[in-house]
Amino acid sequence: MFYSLKYSNIFLRAGLALVFFWFGIDKFIHPDYWLNAWVPEKIIDFISNLNLRGGELIFLSGIFEIAVAISLLTDIFAGTFSFLAALFLAGIFIFNGINEVLIRDLGLIGGLLSVFFWPRNRRNGGLR
C-alpha cells in the first residue's frame, strides 16, 4: 500500500477548501438565509454598535471563508488560516449551542487542527 504525508495533506486541504469555498460563495448567494437562520439576535445587536448591518457581517464571513479556502488550496499561510477557521467554527458553537451542525463543525475543526499541526520543514516551508 502506498502512504504519503504529502498527498494526504493535499487531500485534506482540498476537501476542507471545498467546504469553505462552498459556504463562502453561498453567503453571497443567500445572505438572508445565513443571517436569519444562523446569526443570533445578540450578535446582530453587538455588530450594530460597530455600525455594521447583519448583511455586512454575512458578506465579511463569506470573504473570510473564501480566504480560508484559497489559503488551504495554495498552502500559503494554511496553518494560520486553518487555526483562525477552527476558532471561527468554535465561535459558531458557542453562540448557537449543540445542534446537528455542531457535529459537522467538530469534524471540520478536527481537520483544520490537523492542517495547523501538520509537520513542516522549517527551512523551506514544505512538508516532511
Side-chain angles (χ1 to χ4, degrees):
M1 174 118 350
F2 174 73
Y3 296 98
S4 170
L5 276 179
K6 178 181 177 183
Y7 292 118
S8 63
N9 182 267
I10 290 169
F11 288 125
L12 174 63
R13 287 186 293 106
L16 289 167
L18 180 65
V19 171
F20 276 89
F21 188 71
W22 179 276
F23 284 113
I25 292 296
D26 197 57
K27 286 184 174 59
F28 288 94
I29 297 170
H30 303 108
D32 291 333
Y33 164 76
W34 289 98
L35 182 62
N36 296 324
W38 295 105
V39 180
E41 193 65 39
K42 57 187 165 191
I43 298 296
I44 294 172
D45 293 340
F46 175 76
I47 65 164
S48 67
N49 293 330
L50 303 173
N51 291 326
L52 282 173
R53 294 186 310 241
E56 293 169 329
L57 176 68
I58 296 301
F59 291 141
L60 289 172
S61 174
I63 290 168
F64 172 73
E65 290 175 349
I66 292 168
V68 169
I70 292 169
S71 172
L72 290 167
L73 283 176
T74 62
D75 201 19
I76 298 172
F77 300 115
T80 301
F81 274 96
S82 63
F83 182 74
L84 293 173
L87 289 177
F88 174 75
L89 292 175
I92 292 171
F93 165 69
I94 290 168
F95 288 106
N96 289 310
I98 297 174
N99 57 37
E100 66 281 356
V101 174
L102 168 66
I103 301 306
R104 179 207 62 203
D105 287 353
L106 286 175
L108 291 172
I109 288 170
L112 290 163
L113 291 176
S114 178
V115 172
F116 177 71
F117 288 109
W118 202 270
R120 296 186 185 280
N121 183 336
R122 295 180 197 263
R123 207 187 264 164
N124 64 11
L127 298 172
R128 288 191 215 176

